[in-house]
Amino acid sequence: NGISICGTRGWISIDGDTESEKVMAREVQRLEVSIQSAISENLEPIVFMHYPPLYGASCNYDMLDILYKYKIKRCLYGHIHGYSQRNAITGVRDGVKYDMISSDFLQFAPFKVL
């Protein structure tokens, strides 16, 4: 259908934690490489991540920079469960449509991506 599933696990950066910063850099690189691969094949990238790039008032700017750089239109993520789902970001923000697809949020029902 002219699309490519791209993505990475993502990460939550903790200031001052050099190990966390290494993991973040690796995850950002993985995201960018997967998107570049799709684009090189003339496919539209749809991004899947485990950790959300946005949550409540928090932003993972490293991941968001990649989404914006490549003008990604869809980003689906999980990780958020139970009561924490009240702070999840869904819908369109800055041109990207975000869908939280945690299994319990979806009540374990399939989610149609396209």
Side-chain angles (χ1 to χ4, degrees):
N1 293 341
I3 62 147
S4 178
I5 302 299
C6 302
T8 189
R9 170 183 62 173
W11 195 247
I12 299 168
S13 185
I14 301 167
D15 290 337
D17 180 359
T18 57
E19 189 61 32
S20 176
E21 291 174 14
K22 286 181 192 177
V23 173
M24 175 62 78
R26 182 185 68 219
E27 293 299 309
V28 168
Q29 182 180 27
R30 286 179 176 168
L31 177 60
E32 186 163 27
V33 167
S34 70
I35 292 169
Q36 288 173 341
S37 178
I39 292 170
S40 74
E41 298 290 327
N42 293 318
L43 299 171
E44 179 183 348
I46 294 179
V47 170
F48 281 74
M49 300 174 72
H50 178 77
Y51 291 95
L54 301 168
Y55 178 73
S58 300
C59 297
N60 182 327
Y61 292 107
D62 296 319
M63 294 292 177
L64 290 175
D65 286 347
I66 298 298
L67 298 181
Y68 300 151
K69 177 180 179 180
Y70 293 98
K71 297 177 176 55
I72 300 301
K73 295 180 181 128
R74 294 280 309 276
C75 179
L76 298 94
Y77 65 90
H79 183 72
I80 309 300
H81 301 285
Y83 188 70
S84 298
Q85 293 170 351
R86 73 190 186 287
N87 293 319
I89 304 296
T90 59
V92 178
R93 181 180 278 189
D94 298 324
V96 180
K97 183 176 187 294
Y98 294 95
D99 290 299
M100 184 176 64
I101 56 172
S102 298
S103 57
D104 57 335
F105 179 74
L106 298 176
Q107 299 178 336
F108 299 91
F111 181 84
K112 186 170 177 135
V113 173
L114 298 176

